[in-house]
Amino acid sequence: MAASTMGYLFEFPTTGSALTALKGKSINDDSELPPPRKVARHGSASSPHKHRTTATGRTGLNPIEIKLRTPAQAPDFAAMHTLVYKFIRTFLQTGKGGYSGCLGDIHEACKVLVLEANQGDALEGVLTTSLRLCCENILREFKSSDASVNDFLEKFLNWWSWWHRRLDTLRAVLLFLDIVHLESHENKSSIREAGFQRFKDTVLLSSYTMRNIEEALKAWSNDKRMGVLTVDEPRLKKLVRCTEDLGCYEPCIEEPYLSRTTEFYAKESAKATSKTAVEYLQLCAKSYEQEKEIEMGDFRPETSAASSLIALQQLVIPHIDLLAKEALADIIATRDHKYFVELHNMLTRVTSSSKSWTASPSDTLLSHYRNDIISRVKDIVTDTEHDATMVDNLLELKEFLDTCLSKEFLDDVEQSDRQYTHATSEAFEKGFACRRIKPAEMIARKIDSLMREGQKSSSDGEFFVKMTRILTLYRFSPDKDAFRTFYKRALTKRLLLGRSASDDFEKQVLEVLSKSYDAAFSDMTQMFKDLVVSKDLLDDYRHPKRNEPERPDLNLSVMVLQHSMWPVAKKVSKPNTGVEIRLPSKMEEALNDYADFYRTRHGNRRLTWAHYLGTATLRAYFPAGKKELSVSLYQATVLLLFNERDEWSTEEIEDRTSLGTSDLVPTIQSLALGKQQLLRRTDARIGKNVKRDDRFSFNEEFTDTKVKIRVNTIQQNDTVEEIQQAVKVIDQHRDASLEAAIVRVMKAAKTMKHQQLVNETIDAVSKHFRPDVNAIKSRIESLIEREFIARKDGNTNVYSYLA
């Protein structure tokens, strides 16, 4: 078409004499010709190319002759206008086959009318009117009969294709109108643009067409959600492309589709009443994924994203408490981290859809999460019947929460990690605070158990991962001084009873505790130094000098400990006796000999024996073979009685050993009623309780595949009395710490109000324990009585420091 257009624009005029004066020159004068040139010949044959010659034998030129058309009559503009008018009106009639005349004549007439007659505006008006009437006829054809969704799509696309072809033909025929008159003006639309706009305004955006498009989209989306397809999807795709071409995708496709999506999921939301919380969560997650998969191929990506978000909004927002509270509680109870991740990410997406929340879904979930964990930690901590599994249950809950909040799952990792980590810490701290001291004690016991077991087949790294998991709980405990006290007591027993898996691990754990948790743990390293000093003393004792007597028992092992570093106190097992236990005479002789030796080295020091931490190794002879028994000093004392006679009653053993009931009964139970039954009860009574008239004998039928047998000892675990004593010591230390803190604060401030003093005292000791306000008030009163501080001028709310 472009080449044809250029031909028309550069056509020669039909009249003029510019070239008629040019005469052809006669070639008769030989002098005016150039000399002849020889022509090369090949062989004897002459060249096939012959030259035309004149009568004189010379080659000549023919003259140029141009014939011009004779001047034509003036063009009939009115006839041309009528011709073009009839063409446009006829060509755009929907009920006929089209124009049957010569399109070349129409093209020529349009050119003359635009270029010479300056009738572009008139032709534009004819075209505009015809386009409008044609589109109105098309719409009238639509409305002539009801049609199904697929029939509507077929009819619409057929008319759209017909319209497209008509516009292409119109532009080709009325090219001069389009190029010269329309496209050269900025405020005018080309034939194609005008035709598209008219079809859009009249046909596509009509209420009839829009209603049918909505029904088509509704039927198609429902089919997709149900897994069937009754709507002709390829035709629907063409319809979507048509709206894109006409620039009305949003009002024709996106807005109706999203509106129908809203209606659909509003109905789905009503199903929440018939489902459990987790089942409804599954419905929400399935609907979101399903909506993401409903992809036609020609939808814009933002349409699919918006429809998925609308599904969540309609399903989640009306039932936020059902999901954020009930579903969350079920998820945590069943430890299903996948559902937690789905719930968290789902509510995060809903929250991101708006910035005007009073309480966003994410905030609601976080609040319920915090409250739920507080409740669960509180239940675990206050369950006195299951204290033995307290730490394991807390660790299991903490690991589940850590898995839920890992970077592998959460969408918004950085933000969610901060919020939920803080909420988890807050929940555990509040839960731990519901029971005084006990959580710290049980954490210390769990570490004690781990240190006794050692790493076994695990590597150093795996061992310290287990240790770190337990110490994570220690951070949540407000009773860090209590943990330190119980840890030190457990460490003492491990070292003195030889139950620690490795001294190197003990030192490494102390280093971790002192650097990462509490610097006071570094003081415990002195305990290892005492053991080294004790070993050196024992070596000297076992190798007496020439002037010293022989030792009664070279196998004796004694550990000399400092009272200030070791939580070891003198114990009186049976009241009114003044002794802890009456040992066999040979043991007493060996201990007295060591005490005499020690006085020769340290005359200003006095030894106090702690037999409840002592151990002994006995050789026992059974019919099945000889065994080496590793027992406590209490157990050894009881067993050696059976060398004197075969039977002893509980009362007789008590009189002979001076052990109180609280120590004697567990000792007999461990020997006669435990795993290794070295003694047996002579009567056939069932049960592990020990009565004063029970009689016991040496069990000669005892068998064991091992030669060296370690009998479980009661010293490994704290007794009730020892725990109570430890708590009492902790309370005494806390009272002293509070008084010291109050005095330091008052000494620096000189004068201070009551509430400020309470707050600063809490801050001063909060790294070690969380004091009760009543305890602080009690310490203040005690300091007033001892005249460290006083009420200023009789004001009960202001204190002053007394120098």
Side-chain angles (χ1 to χ4, degrees):
M1 185 61 67
S4 174
T5 302
M6 293 299 293
Y8 282 119
L9 294 178
F10 289 94
E11 186 177 13
F12 288 115
T14 56
T15 60
S17 59
L19 300 177
T20 56
L22 181 64
K23 301 293 185 179
K25 195 170 185 179
S26 177
I27 309 175
N28 295 320
D29 189 357
D30 292 343
S31 63
E32 296 182 2
L33 296 177
R37 293 186 298 174
K38 294 182 179 180
V39 179
R41 299 179 181 272
H42 298 280
S44 60
S46 62
S47 173
H49 302 284
K50 301 295 184 179
H51 294 271
R52 187 177 53 187
T53 60
T54 63
T56 59
R58 296 282 187 174
T59 302
L61 297 176
N62 289 332
I64 297 175
E65 181 180 0
I66 298 177
K67 294 182 179 181
L68 301 179
R69 290 182 294 176
T70 60
Q73 296 180 352
D76 187 352
F77 294 141
M80 292 182 179
H81 183 275
T82 301
L83 182 65
V84 175
Y85 172 82
K86 289 182 178 181
F87 161 73
I88 295 175
R89 296 300 299 272
T90 305
F91 191 68
L92 290 179
Q93 288 183 1
T94 58
K96 297 183 179 181
Y99 184 72
S100 59
C102 178
L103 297 181
D105 294 340
I106 307 300
H107 178 82
E108 183 73 18
C110 178
K111 179 189 71 172
V112 173
L113 291 174
V114 171
L115 296 180
E116 299 182 22
N118 196 24
Q119 294 188 16
D121 289 334
L123 293 180
E124 180 186 359
V126 173
L127 179 63
T128 301
T129 302
S130 299
L131 292 175
R132 176 178 57 79
L133 294 174
C134 183
C135 286
E136 290 174 352
N137 290 333
I138 292 175
L139 181 60
R140 199 174 296 112
E141 291 285 341
F142 270 144
K143 296 180 178 180
S144 62
S145 62
D146 294 333
S148 65
V149 169
N150 288 331
D151 290 340
F152 162 77
L153 291 175
E154 181 180 9
K155 290 175 65 176
F156 178 87
L157 293 175
N158 287 340
W159 279 115
W160 169 243
S161 178
W162 178 88
W163 184 252
H164 211 287
R165 293 194 303 272
R166 281 294 189 267
L167 293 180
D168 288 343
T169 303
L170 281 174
R171 185 180 185 279
V173 175
L174 307 179
L175 184 65
F176 278 86
L177 175 64
D178 199 35
I179 294 178
V180 177
H181 180 71
L182 297 178
E183 292 186 359
S184 61
H185 293 80
E186 294 182 358
N187 59 343
K188 294 181 182 294
S189 299
S190 67
I191 294 176
R192 180 186 294 271
E193 291 172 350
F196 280 7
Q197 186 64 40
R198 176 53 57 187
F199 190 89
K200 169 185 172 182
D201 295 340
T202 305
V203 180
L204 184 59
L205 295 181
S206 68
S207 59
Y208 174 81
T209 306
M210 290 294 293
R211 183 171 63 255
N212 279 275
I213 290 177
E214 288 184 19
E215 291 300 321
L217 290 172
K218 178 182 177 181
W220 172 79
S221 59
N222 288 342
D223 286 351
K224 281 287 191 176
R225 295 178 185 118
M226 298 299 294
V228 296
L229 196 60
T230 60
V231 177
D232 192 335
E233 189 172 72
R235 287 176 177 167
L236 188 59
K237 289 183 178 181
K238 292 180 180 179
L239 174 63
V240 173
R241 289 196 292 270
C242 171
T243 61
E244 287 279 14
D245 293 341
L246 297 177
C248 55
Y249 172 85
E250 289 85 356
C252 293
I253 301 297
E254 185 172 83
E255 293 175 7
Y257 177 71
L258 296 182
S259 176
R260 293 298 182 180
T261 301
T262 302
E263 294 177 6
F264 176 82
Y265 284 107
K267 294 178 181 179
E268 288 291 298
S269 176
K271 297 179 180 180
T273 56
S274 62
K275 296 180 179 294
T276 66
V278 173
E279 287 174 346
Y280 187 69
L281 171 63
Q282 293 173 335
L283 172 65
C284 295
K286 179 181 178 181
S287 299
Y288 175 74
E289 294 300 326
Q290 175 181 270
E291 204 61 32
K292 286 172 59 179
E293 294 174 359
I294 298 179
E295 177 57 53
M296 186 186 296
D298 288 88
F299 272 176
R300 292 177 183 175
E302 53 266 29
T303 304
S304 298
S307 66
S308 301
L309 190 57
I310 286 175
L312 286 184
Q313 290 172 334
Q314 295 300 314
L315 293 171
V316 170
I317 295 176
H319 307 286
I320 185 64
D321 286 335
L322 175 68
L323 293 170
K325 186 177 182 180
E326 296 180 29
L328 175 67
D330 292 343
I331 289 169
I332 297 177
T334 57
R335 301 294 192 267
D336 194 330
H337 75 272
K338 293 182 179 179
Y339 281 144
F340 176 87
V341 172
E342 282 187 356
L343 177 61
H344 171 273
N345 291 341
M346 185 186 303
L347 297 191
T348 299
R349 296 184 190 107
V350 175
T351 300
S352 64
S353 66
S354 175
K355 296 183 179 179
S356 59
W357 297 104
T358 302
S360 71
S362 291
D363 292 340
T364 303
L365 177 64
L366 183 64
S367 176
H368 286 302
Y369 172 87
R370 183 187 295 105
N371 294 336
D372 187 276
I373 302 305
I374 291 174
S375 176
R376 293 180 188 279
V377 174
K378 179 180 178 180
D379 290 344
I380 294 173
V381 167
T382 57
D383 186 3
T384 57
E385 295 182 359
H386 298 89
D387 281 346
T389 59
M390 178 195 297
V391 175
D392 289 331
N393 293 336
L394 290 171
L395 285 174
E396 189 270 336
L397 175 61
K398 182 64 169 58
E399 288 181 354
F400 165 72
L401 298 177
D402 289 344
T403 301
C404 291
L405 304 177
S406 64
K407 297 180 179 180
E408 179 181 356
F409 301 112
L410 297 188
D411 287 348
D412 185 4
V413 176
E414 183 176 355
Q415 180 70 13
S416 299
D417 182 64
R418 289 196 302 268
Q419 292 178 339
Y420 281 87
T421 298
H422 179 73
T424 302
S425 299
E426 181 183 352
F428 270 80
E429 289 172 0
K430 290 185 176 180
F432 274 44
C434 294
R435 190 175 181 187
R436 182 174 174 269
I437 294 178
K438 196 64 179 181
E441 174 194 341
M442 300 313 297
I443 294 172
R445 287 192 181 188
K446 184 65 178 180
I447 294 179
D448 176 57
S449 174
L450 185 61
M451 296 303 296
R452 289 174 185 271
E453 294 175 0
Q455 66 184 100
K456 295 183 178 179
S457 60
S458 60
S459 63
D460 293 356
E462 293 171 340
F463 177 80
F464 275 99
V465 167
K466 296 179 182 178
M467 183 66 64
T468 302
R469 287 174 47 224
I470 301 173
L471 291 178
T472 300
L473 297 180
Y474 163 73
R475 291 185 182 274
F476 304 135
S477 174
D479 302 311
K480 293 180 172 56
D481 59 335
F483 171 82
R484 188 169 60 249
T485 298
F486 284 105
Y487 183 88
K488 190 173 185 178
R489 292 173 65 85
L491 175 62
T492 296
K493 289 193 174 185
R494 291 197 299 273
L495 296 179
L496 298 184
L497 298 177
R499 296 295 188 264
S500 178
S502 170
D503 285 353
D504 290 336
F505 278 131
E506 295 282 6
K507 294 176 182 178
Q508 290 179 37
V509 172
L510 283 177
E511 184 178 1
V512 171
L513 286 169
S514 61
K515 288 183 178 180
S516 302
Y517 298 91
D518 189 346
F521 281 98
S522 61
D523 297 338
M524 297 183 193
T525 56
Q526 182 62 40
M527 299 168 73
F528 293 92
K529 296 178 181 179
D530 287 355
L531 295 180
V532 173
V533 173
S534 296
K535 184 177 182 300
D536 293 339
L537 281 173
L538 191 60
D539 288 341
D540 291 344
Y541 172 77
R542 289 174 176 175
H543 299 86
K545 297 179 181 179
R546 293 181 180 179
N547 57 344
E548 293 179 343
E550 292 293 329
R551 306 305 182 198
D553 188 357
L554 292 178
N555 292 322
L556 176 67
S557 178
V558 178
M559 296 181 184
V560 181
L561 314 175
Q562 299 181 59
H563 276 291
S564 60
M565 298 306 304
W566 295 77
V568 177
K570 182 179 180 180
K571 181 177 181 180
V572 177
S573 181
K574 190 174 183 180
N576 303 324
T577 61
V579 297
E580 179 183 352
I581 186 175
R582 290 176 183 171
L583 298 175
S585 57
K586 288 186 177 181
M587 290 185 181
E588 288 285 0
E589 180 184 358
L591 293 179
N592 292 334
D593 184 66
Y594 185 87
D596 294 338
F597 161 77
Y598 188 80
R599 280 192 292 271
T600 62
R601 299 299 178 90
H602 305 282
N604 297 328
R605 299 179 183 178
R606 183 171 61 88
L607 292 178
T608 300
W609 298 102
H611 297 311
Y612 66 96
L613 294 174
T615 60
T617 301
L618 304 179
R619 293 188 182 89
Y621 298 90
F622 298 92
K626 182 175 66 174
K627 304 293 182 182
E628 191 173 292
L629 307 177
S630 177
V631 295
S632 70
L633 202 54
Y634 286 4
Q635 291 171 326
T637 301
V638 172
L639 287 174
L640 289 174
L641 293 178
F642 290 89
N643 284 338
E644 299 179 14
R645 67 176 193 230
D646 293 338
E647 272 191 23
W648 291 79
S649 68
T650 303
E651 185 176 5
E652 290 171 341
I653 295 174
E654 181 180 348
D655 293 338
R656 183 64 179 271
T657 60
S658 294
L659 284 173
T661 303
S662 60
D663 290 326
L664 179 60
V665 171
T667 300
I668 294 177
Q669 288 174 335
S670 65
L671 293 173
L673 305 174
K675 184 178 180 181
Q676 292 91 7
Q677 297 183 2
L678 302 174
L679 304 178
R680 64 182 177 183
R681 191 159 44 191
T682 56
D683 60 359
R685 187 169 60 83
I686 300 175
K688 291 191 175 183
N689 58 319
V690 177
K691 297 182 179 180
R692 291 181 63 80
D693 58 350
D694 284 348
R695 300 190 68 82
F696 298 91
S697 63
F698 187 67
N699 184 14
E700 295 185 352
E701 298 179 358
F702 174 80
T703 59
D704 197 297
T705 57
K706 298 178 182 178
V707 176
K708 295 183 178 181
I709 301 172
R710 176 177 289 180
V711 181
N712 292 331
T713 61
I714 61 172
Q715 299 106 312
Q716 292 184 18
N717 300 315
D718 289 338
T719 63
V720 175
E721 291 79 6
E722 288 177 325
I723 294 174
Q724 291 175 349
Q725 181 64 27
V727 172
K728 183 178 180 180
V729 171
I730 291 170
D731 289 337
Q732 291 173 349
H733 287 168
R734 288 185 173 183
D735 289 344
S737 298
L738 287 174
E739 290 183 354
I742 293 170
V743 171
R744 286 196 301 270
V745 171
M746 290 301 301
K747 186 176 181 179
K750 304 303 181 185
T751 301
M752 186 172 289
K753 291 184 178 181
H754 172 78
Q755 190 59 47
Q756 185 180 0
L757 177 59
V758 170
N759 293 339
E760 295 203 16
T761 302
I762 292 175
D763 292 341
V765 300
S766 60
K767 290 184 178 180
H768 303 286
F769 64 96
R770 187 173 298 164
D772 182 65
V773 175
N774 291 329
I776 297 176
K777 292 179 180 179
S778 176
R779 292 303 95 205
I780 291 175
E781 294 297 331
S782 176
L783 291 172
I784 291 174
E785 291 176 2
R786 288 179 284 162
E787 298 183 349
F788 283 92
I789 60 177
R791 292 185 173 89
K792 186 175 181 181
D793 300 330
N795 189 341
T796 58
N797 195 42
V798 181
Y799 305 105
S800 60
Y801 176 72
L802 301 178

